[in-house]
Amino acid sequence: MSSAKTVQALTPAAVQAAYDLIQPYVHRTPLLTCQTLDAIASTPQSTEALVDTPFEGQTPARPNFRFYFKCENLQRIGAFKARGAFHALLRLVEERGEEEVKRRGVITHSSGNHAQALALAASTLNIPAYIVMPRISTPSKIAGTKSHGAEVIFSGSTSVEREAVVAELQAKTGALLVPPYDYFDVICGQGTTALELEAQYAERGSGILDAVITPVGGGGLNAGVATYFSDKPQTLVFGAEPSFEGADDCRRGLQAGQRVEKVSTLTIADGLRTPVGVLNWEVISDKRKVEGVFAVTEEQIKAAMRLVLERMKVVVEPSAVVGLAACLFNEDLRRRVEQEGGEKGWDVAIVFSGGNTTVEAISKLFG
Amino acid sequence: MSSAKTVQALTPAAVQAAYDLIQPYVHRTPLLTCQTLDAIASTPQSTEALVDTPFEGQTPARPNFRFYFKCENLQRIGAFKARGAFHALLRLVEERGEEEVKRRGVITHSSGNHAQALALAASTLNIPAYIVMPRISTPSKIAGTKSHGAEVIFSGSTSVEREAVVAELQAKTGALLVPPYDYFDVICGQGTTALELEAQYAERGSGILDAVITPVGGGGLNAGVATYFSDKPQTLVFGAEPSFEGADDCRRGLQAGQRVEKVSTLTIADGLRTPVGVLNWEVISDKRKVEGVFAVTEEQIKAAMRLVLERMKVVVEPSAVVGLAACLFNEDLRRRVEQEGGEKGWDVAIVFSGGNTTVEAISKLFG
């Protein structure tokens, strides 16, 4: 085992291998375009819109964007997390054998999309799953996780309380831990999003994909995507995250040259409240792999979400649109697209990471 | 002209001819499936759910549904209305010549999707368009119509006031009236929805399409779809409409054997507040063409809309989901599917007529 671990390297080939394994279990989600959003993003911001932003006083940039939206909100369980969860379990079965994995089961603690993804993957592969969720989780999320056949065990809300329950259960059942993002096989699984979108883009014969931008929470998706594109230097990989209450830990860490280990934020982008993981940080802080990370405000997230719902007619969760918000509002990025893309502009793939919201949550955001 | 008018017949060939004309101008909207919605609709309702409904005391039916959702919410301007508007204008140009139509322009009164559709079609074909809208229309609708280059003229809200403004403008400009639904070329244009969905269904080699169900407001979409399927007796065409404040004028008219001429309702399905048109009624009341029309409550519309937003991740307006609501809640339809479809069930195409809603409107419905 340990010798196998040491040769694990985050390479495009590892992502390709992950895809070969998970393909029968995940959706090939559509890559959508939207002329209306292209036109809106390609219109300069007003000078007034820049007041009270870091870009106040600048001449608004004149970028040309052509977007390709990778709709992981239409993925199984409504988020890209299905990719990593299936891959992690299929790899466990390969490494330890079906008998052992089925006997011991798998365990994680999460109240979000990873919980549902692991529950679905485990039930599909007939592996027992234990999901530790805070007692205060919303009933719909608990019901969603249970509906995929997982055993839900409640805990307190702090990470200490949650980890204690996990340790206790592991001691009792021998269940194997599948972390939500800081885990080699999960990163490779999430990276298959990149492989698929690149192939779909190429099918249109549209030329060169200039950039891909994904949300950054724990960093599984961004690190996986950056890994896949690491040998394709013509395509830049960017990340985006909320700035609210310090949720832009990744951007701040890059600035300081050191990973930020703790974050406490209640940003509306609830999938992006966690700090970047250790393994994820290694990829994302590698300038050859990730070109940069942008932070967006809560209002910018809401504006982007409104455009996607009202103009594209597609349901996304707030976390899913931080990349689009960066393209719409970050003048550094917009100026770069103007300067490097010129008249032709940039072809930019934006990963919509998930669509797990409710009409009540939408009402709370916009009512 | 009048001799040409007399040979106009609502036939599948007329719909095919409409398609040949409009194809370069409209989207071939996707035909989506959703296993989750199939499973929900194929689960019997609880006995308690039938209390206080016309089905109280019945044993809940056990139907099997496989849905095919024709996503006209992803059509240009966000609704099927683009089809009829483009067809009406292209036919006017054919009949009267480009010079005359461009000189006179076109006119309609509408505050909804037809206004935007006509504005888009007119600007695309370089024809002046005058849209009479009630002064109290929501600013977003006025802006949407103007954004497509039409001249918006305000009127009072009653139909008498609106028609007076139209007559005045026609006298001044000679503009040609394009009614929203009670009009041969509009009906043929809307019917292209059926032609397209049948072809998309056939591409999947899925067998026989048992039924198609569309919303019924003025009846342009339903009459057009029924016209297209009129020589394909294996596919039944149904309509659905809200019951709130008598909005189920079509269903009531069919029961009484006579078209209901006036309706005054503020159903949340705001696209379906009008009575069925004269020409539309001729088709819809023909039992060989339309098998039946179901009415659904406001709560059922909201429940269906919630499922589509939260589970399919697709944005629809309330009017769009009345067909789905009928499949979910109408025990007459559900029992028929159980009895005629048996284990195999029915393949049912549901037309999502439009997606023009806002996050504020969603908040008002569900907040």
Side-chain angles (χ1 to χ4, degrees):
Chain A
M1 266 304 296
S2 72
S3 74
K5 282 280 175 206
T6 54
V7 297
Q8 282 186 332
L10 284 165
T11 60
V15 175
Q16 178 65 58
Y19 196 57
D20 297 343
L21 269 183
I22 69 171
Q23 217 179 337
Y25 301 100
V26 298
H27 291 327
R28 191 181 203 246
T29 57
L31 186 71
L32 299 184
T33 57
C34 180
Q35 288 175 15
T36 307
L37 285 193
D38 291 353
I40 291 170
S42 301
T43 303
Q45 298 193 80
S46 69
T47 317
E48 303 81 60
L50 302 187
V51 172
D52 286 336
T53 77
F55 316 107
E56 181 165 353
Q58 296 183 9
T59 306
R62 313 183 71 84
N64 284 309
F65 283 104
R66 277 178 309 281
F67 293 132
Y68 296 82
F69 298 101
K70 179 62 174 167
C71 290
E72 288 295 294
N73 55 327
L74 304 179
Q75 185 51 270
R76 297 187 73 182
I77 71 106
F80 71 93
K81 296 273 185 180
R83 297 176 184 269
F86 270 107
H87 187 237
L89 296 202
L90 290 162
R91 288 282 299 135
L92 279 178
V93 168
E94 272 190 355
E95 283 176 356
R96 296 176 177 264
E98 200 172 328
E99 187 278 324
E100 182 184 336
V101 180
K102 286 192 174 174
R103 176 167 43 78
R104 297 175 63 177
V106 292
I107 187 166
T108 200
H109 57 91
S110 160
S111 58
N113 290 332
H114 177 63
Q116 295 200 45
L118 194 70
L120 170 68
S123 76
T124 306
L125 303 172
N126 287 310
I127 297 167
Y130 309 95
I131 315 283
V132 177
M133 299 180 86
R135 219 165 271 113
I136 57 158
S137 305
T138 51
S140 64
K141 284 188 174 171
I142 298 169
T145 307
K146 282 186 179 169
S147 80
H148 295 299
E151 190 172 327
V152 173
I153 302 99
F154 294 107
S155 74
S157 335
T158 70
S159 55
V160 174
E161 289 170 306
R162 290 201 274 174
E163 277 158 27
V165 176
V166 169
E168 191 188 321
L169 269 162
Q170 278 192 291
K172 205 162 71 185
T173 62
L176 301 155
L177 184 67
V178 181
Y181 47 86
D182 200 349
Y183 190 68
F184 180 84
D185 288 320
V186 166
I187 294 173
C188 293
Q190 321 302 32
T192 63
T193 310
L195 181 155
E196 229 176 63
L197 77 84
E198 193 207 28
Q200 291 169 311
Y201 175 81
E203 281 164 17
R204 305 182 185 203
S206 312
I208 287 168
L209 188 60
D210 296 285
V212 179
I213 186 163
T214 87
V216 177
L221 177 63
N222 193 258
V225 167
T227 296
Y228 180 72
F229 280 107
S230 59
D231 63 352
K232 299 164 191 74
Q234 72 274 30
T235 301
L236 301 175
V237 174
F238 293 95
E241 58 187 351
S243 57
F244 188 66
E245 296 180 340
D248 53 343
D249 61 287
C250 188
R251 192 192 60 77
R252 292 185 292 120
L254 291 172
Q255 218 161 34
Q258 193 171 13
R259 187 175 78 93
V260 174
E261 293 180 15
K262 272 194 176 168
V263 174
S264 173
T265 170
L266 287 175
T267 169
I268 55 172
D270 56 1
L272 310 179
R273 291 176 181 169
T274 43
V276 170
V278 175
L279 200 48
N280 316 74
W281 173 256
E282 273 179 39
V283 177
I284 300 175
S285 63
D286 183 342
K287 183 77 181 173
R288 292 163 304 177
K289 293 183 179 168
V290 176
E291 184 69 12
V293 172
F294 301 101
V296 293
T297 67
E298 303 291 279
E299 284 310 311
Q300 291 171 343
I301 293 170
K302 281 175 65 176
M305 185 169 166
R306 172 197 291 275
L307 286 174
V308 175
L309 267 76
E310 294 184 355
R311 303 303 186 92
M312 280 191 77
K313 322 286 183 197
V314 159
V315 175
V316 283
E317 55 185 82
S319 304
V321 297
V322 290
L324 175 61
C327 294
L328 289 167
F329 301 114
N330 188 292
E331 285 292 315
D332 290 340
L333 174 55
R334 293 172 62 80
R335 193 162 316 277
R336 181 159 181 185
V337 173
E338 177 188 357
Q339 288 172 351
E340 296 184 16
E343 269 307 299
K344 196 183 141 284
W346 270 18
D347 283 9
V348 177
I350 290 181
V351 182
F352 283 160
S353 50
N356 288 330
T357 186
T358 61
V359 290
E360 283 80 13
I362 294 170
S363 305
K364 214 171 145 189
L365 283 173
F366 297 100
Chain B
M1 268 306 297
S2 72
S3 75
K5 281 282 176 208
T6 55
V7 297
Q8 284 186 329
L10 284 165
T11 61
V15 175
Q16 178 65 60
Y19 196 57
D20 296 342
L21 270 184
I22 70 171
Q23 218 180 335
Y25 302 99
V26 298
H27 291 327
R28 190 183 202 243
T29 58
L31 187 71
L32 299 183
T33 57
C34 179
Q35 288 176 15
T36 307
L37 285 193
D38 289 354
I40 292 170
S42 302
T43 303
Q45 297 194 80
S46 69
T47 316
E48 303 80 60
L50 303 187
V51 172
D52 287 334
T53 77
F55 316 108
E56 181 165 353
Q58 295 183 9
T59 305
R62 313 183 71 85
N64 284 308
F65 283 103
R66 277 179 309 281
F67 292 132
Y68 296 82
F69 299 101
K70 179 62 173 166
C71 289
E72 288 294 295
N73 54 328
L74 304 178
Q75 184 52 266
R76 298 188 71 184
I77 71 103
F80 71 94
K81 296 273 184 181
R83 298 175 183 270
F86 270 106
H87 187 236
L89 296 202
L90 291 163
R91 288 283 297 137
L92 279 178
V93 169
E94 273 191 352
E95 282 177 357
R96 295 175 179 264
E98 201 173 327
E99 187 279 325
E100 182 183 335
V101 179
K102 285 191 175 174
R103 176 166 43 81
R104 298 174 63 176
V106 292
I107 188 167
T108 199
H109 57 90
S110 159
S111 58
N113 291 331
H114 177 61
Q116 295 201 46
L118 194 70
L120 170 69
S123 76
T124 305
L125 303 171
N126 287 310
I127 297 167
Y130 309 96
I131 314 283
V132 176
M133 300 180 85
R135 218 165 272 112
I136 57 160
S137 305
T138 53
S140 65
K141 284 188 175 170
I142 297 169
T145 307
K146 283 185 178 168
S147 80
H148 295 298
E151 188 172 328
V152 173
I153 301 99
F154 295 107
S155 73
S157 333
T158 70
S159 54
V160 174
E161 289 169 306
R162 292 200 273 175
E163 278 158 26
V165 176
V166 169
E168 192 188 319
L169 268 162
Q170 279 193 289
K172 205 161 71 186
T173 62
L176 301 155
L177 183 68
V178 180
Y181 48 85
D182 200 350
Y183 190 69
F184 179 84
D185 287 320
V186 167
I187 294 173
C188 294
Q190 320 303 30
T192 63
T193 310
L195 181 156
E196 230 176 61
L197 78 84
E198 193 208 28
Q200 290 168 312
Y201 175 81
E203 280 163 19
R204 307 183 183 202
S206 312
I208 287 169
L209 188 59
D210 296 286
V212 180
I213 185 162
T214 87
V216 178
L221 177 63
N222 193 258
V225 168
T227 295
Y228 180 72
F229 280 107
S230 59
D231 64 353
K232 299 163 190 75
Q234 73 275 29
T235 302
L236 301 175
V237 174
F238 294 95
E241 57 186 352
S243 57
F244 188 66
E245 296 180 339
D248 54 341
D249 61 286
C250 188
R251 193 192 60 77
R252 292 184 293 121
L254 291 172
Q255 217 162 36
Q258 193 171 10
R259 186 174 78 93
V260 174
E261 291 178 17
K262 275 197 175 161
V263 174
S264 174
T265 171
L266 287 175
T267 169
I268 55 172
D270 56 2
L272 310 179
R273 290 176 180 169
T274 45
V276 171
V278 174
L279 200 50
N280 316 75
W281 173 257
E282 272 179 40
V283 177
I284 300 176
S285 63
D286 182 341
K287 182 78 181 173
R288 292 163 304 177
K289 293 183 177 164
V290 176
E291 185 70 10
V293 173
F294 301 101
V296 292
T297 67
E298 304 291 280
E299 284 309 310
Q300 291 170 344
I301 293 171
K302 281 175 64 176
M305 186 169 166
R306 171 196 292 274
L307 286 174
V308 175
L309 268 75
E310 295 183 355
R311 304 302 187 93
M312 280 190 78
K313 323 286 185 197
V314 158
V315 175
V316 283
E317 56 186 81
S319 303
V321 298
V322 290
L324 175 61
C327 293
L328 289 167
F329 301 114
N330 188 292
E331 285 291 315
D332 290 339
L333 174 55
R334 293 172 63 79
R335 193 163 314 279
R336 182 160 178 184
V337 173
E338 176 187 356
Q339 287 172 351
E340 296 184 15
E343 268 310 298
K344 194 180 143 286
W346 269 19
D347 282 8
V348 177
I350 290 180
V351 181
F352 283 159
S353 49
N356 289 329
T357 187
T358 62
V359 289
E360 284 79 13
I362 294 170
S363 305
K364 214 170 143 190
L365 283 173
F366 296 100

